[in-house]
Amino acid sequence: MMQEAPGDRSADKVHGGRVGQQMPQTNSITKAYELAREHFATLGVDTEAVLARVDAVPVSMHCWQGDDVKGFENPNGELTGGIQVSGNYPGRARNAVELRADLDKAMSLIPGAKRLNLHAIYLEADKPVERDAIEPRHFANWVDWAKANKLGLDFNPSCFSHPKSADNRTLSHPDKAIRQFWIDHCKASRKVSESFGKALGTASVMNIWIPDGSKDYPFDRYGPRETLKAALDEVIAEKISTDFHYDAVEGKLFGIGAEAYTVGSNEFYLAYAATRGTMLCLDAGHFHPTEVVSDKLSAAFQFVDRVLLHVSRPMRWDSDHVVLFDDELQAIANELVRGDVLGRTAIGLDYFDASINRIAAWVIGMRNMRKALLKAMLEPKAALAAAETSGDFALRMALMEEHKTSPWAAVWNHYCESRNVPVGTAWFDVVKAYERDVLAKREA
Ligand code: RNT
Ligand code: ZN
């Protein structure tokens, strides 16, 4: 999933598809771009080089926006584990064939290198398979699809929405048998993840998130963390080449029904990743509301080699709203570019909104992520660095403020057009047509 991984390629050659009617005139896009190119050149920014660079950064699209995190293990399964989806907009994907069709549609509207992020509950099997018994063959269709679309795959064990996770305890469970079940699920998931890396020629990032925690004040905070540490050590005991697979661990502050205590807290996993050499997953919604992931990146990177991002949008709590082009998204992108850590970062999205068209939700968040990366790469880096080094903080402020209204959007429009994806809101017509022809015909 790293930027320079050999198999990372843009999928949009396959997922191309241009929508003509409502697009602005091509020549006006080109003209605007040419002016923008001149503008940035005077600031020492080569827009052509930036476009090649931004296009190659893989963003892993999360499959779970398409079906409200239900998965295909059990069609009546309900989401549990302190994560919640609200809304009942029609058209949810009910099986893997529908989900892949929806992903194809969304990806055709999103420029740049893409990956797909799968959860274990998205397996396909004729008969029920227990989570500790999942195998690469249960994901064969996903691998075939990824190959056909030149996509890398990422993976996640699913330690929620299961009878054995009903009391919000999995890898830290005091019952040895239940804990072992989840350890075995995570081990089996690593094999699946490794098989993705081998089949696709690009390492899969496997992220472990568990819901373990307590609704009310626990008596013992130490014990479950000690248990979790040992369980994770068992999960990752077998060495797997990073040519194929990376382990990542995701901390959290609290969840619904786990307000008082979360075993896998930020401190726990920061230290775990730093001492074990795993990736650290930072989810934008997993901190106190005034804390921001953008400020944590440069600190974490001093001590961990690689970070997985779960780009999300918390509203008042870890609400997993669709990623908007807002200040924090821009701040995250700025940190990756300014700190030159894109090569050590795997970018994934993590949100789920069931109250609006789900394809639109994907397209908006994915386009915003790349738009923010583009805008970050267009910053007048040399001038900003010089102003800061010399202590001219007014100039630094002025440069930053000017960049907000610089003609970066003209570069974005040209980029979309050059990648054969719709410019502006032209993509929305495609989504609406698909809703009418496909999504609306699905029963709830
Ligand atoms: C939950 C975590 C986790 C999940 C996904 C589905 O709080 O953010 O990453 O959202 O794995
Ligand atoms: Zn997350």
Side-chain angles (χ1 to χ4, degrees), residues 66 87 97 134 178 189 196 224 230 260 304 317 336 345:
V97 172
I134 59 164
I178 296 178
S189 294
F196 289 172
V304 301
W317 70 290
L336 299 180
T345 307

Side-chain angles (χ1 to χ4, degrees), residues 64 207 209 250 281-283 286 310 312 320 350:
W64 51 91
N207 178 52
W209 172 73
E250 179 181 13
C281 175
L282 293 173
D283 182 309
H286 286 191
H310 270 191
S312 192
D320 291 297
D350 183 13

